[in-house]
Amino acid sequence: MTISDTALVVIDLQKESGFGLFGMDEVVRNTQRTIEACRAAGIPVIYTRQINRHDGVGLSLDEPRHASGEPLYYADNCDSIDILDEVAPEDGDIVIDKYRWSAFFETSLDLMLKSLGVKHLIIGGVVTDGCLMTSVFDAYFRDYRLQLVHDMCTASNEGAHMAALTIMANWVYALEMLDTDNMIACLGGGDYTAWQASEADALPFAPETLRETFGKLVAPSR
């Protein structure tokens, strides 16, 4: 990676808590550490926020609603759409609001990245099998190289989290997957360990073997 063409993108670390995401405290701590390391290196920090209009205009088809018709999640008249205080943006950071899962779908994210001269993304956030994964694929389709920090991510259940990370590792060829410690080592110019696919579908798995396969992904050796 080259520091001058890199940005950190933090996906949807908001106060919304209706999902019951597992391991969220660790995700927040790891995000804090990664943000601090990126700031120290002079890397831009970009946040996304999922937003739904409280009147339901523009809401995704069949998305859950309250009996009143308001969106069940991320209604724009609630403070649940705000970024978590522990990782709150600072002056000069960029916040991208989005109305669909992908951070790139009809948002200004690609424009901002190009304006900054960014070609390489460090990325993490929630949920692994939804907004994070769709954003990773859309970044890849726009020719960004990626480093996905897997312990900055979580989902509503462990199986979905493991499956989504493994699918991304298998098919996003311009992606390295690594943990926070190795990401910080990389930012500091030191040696680090990461997973990167050497072929298509490099980590095949069945329901019975997913945990074993996932272990190879999050604890790679080189």
Side-chain angles (χ1 to χ4, degrees):
M1 67 177 290
T2 303
I3 295 294
S4 61
D5 65 8
T6 297
L8 171 65
V9 178
V10 179
I11 302 291
D12 298 0
L13 283 190
Q14 297 164 256
K15 295 178 181 178
E16 175 67 68
S17 59
F19 296 105
L21 305 181
F22 80 94
M24 192 65 176
D25 289 345
E26 181 183 1
V27 167
V28 172
R29 286 193 297 271
N30 289 330
T31 303
Q32 287 175 313
R33 294 176 61 210
T34 302
I35 288 173
E36 289 170 3
C38 285
R39 292 197 199 285
I43 290 174
V45 180
I46 301 174
Y47 299 79
T48 70
R49 299 193 310 172
Q50 180 69 27
I51 305 285
N52 290 322
R53 284 177 57 103
H54 67 276
D55 59 7
V57 174
L59 195 65
S60 296
L61 290 176
D62 297 332
E63 183 154 333
R65 298 176 184 245
H66 293 289
S68 65
E70 280 198 5
L72 192 60
Y73 303 117
Y74 299 115
D76 64 3
N77 60 347
C78 301
D79 64 3
S80 58
I81 64 172
D82 294 340
I83 304 295
L84 289 166
D85 293 338
E86 297 92 330
V87 294
E90 296 184 356
D91 290 344
D93 294 338
I94 295 171
V95 179
I96 304 291
D97 288 342
K98 61 190 181 67
Y99 291 83
R100 289 293 188 271
W101 288 2
S102 171
F104 288 90
F105 184 78
E106 297 190 1
T107 74
S108 61
L109 178 56
D110 195 42
L111 174 67
M112 297 297 175
L113 293 171
K114 285 182 167 54
S115 179
L116 291 167
V118 170
K119 299 178 181 178
H120 177 273
L121 302 182
I122 301 166
I123 194 166
V126 301
V127 295
T128 317
D129 56 333
C131 295
L132 177 74
M133 183 163 68
T134 54
S135 299
V136 165
F137 275 109
D138 275 356
Y140 179 50
F141 300 152
R142 288 164 175 78
D143 295 329
Y144 291 99
R145 294 195 174 276
L146 297 113
Q147 286 178 300
L148 196 165
V149 186
H150 63 74
D151 55 3
M152 274 178 59
C153 312
T154 189
S156 57
N157 66 84
E158 188 181 8
H161 173 72
M162 289 192 294
L165 287 178
T166 307
I167 288 167
M168 287 184 276
N170 276 336
W171 298 110
V172 181
Y173 303 123
L175 176 145
E176 285 188 339
M177 197 171 296
L178 68 173
D179 63 17
T180 300
D181 288 342
N182 279 290
M183 187 70 254
I184 291 173
C186 175
L187 288 168
D191 294 334
Y192 70 98
T193 301
W195 167 270
Q196 185 169 14
S198 57
E199 58 185 341
D201 202 16
L203 290 170
F205 62 92
E208 299 79 11
T209 62
L210 176 54
R211 189 174 297 281
E212 178 184 356
T213 299
F214 185 69
K216 298 175 184 176
L217 174 62
V218 299
S221 58
R222 285 189 172 178

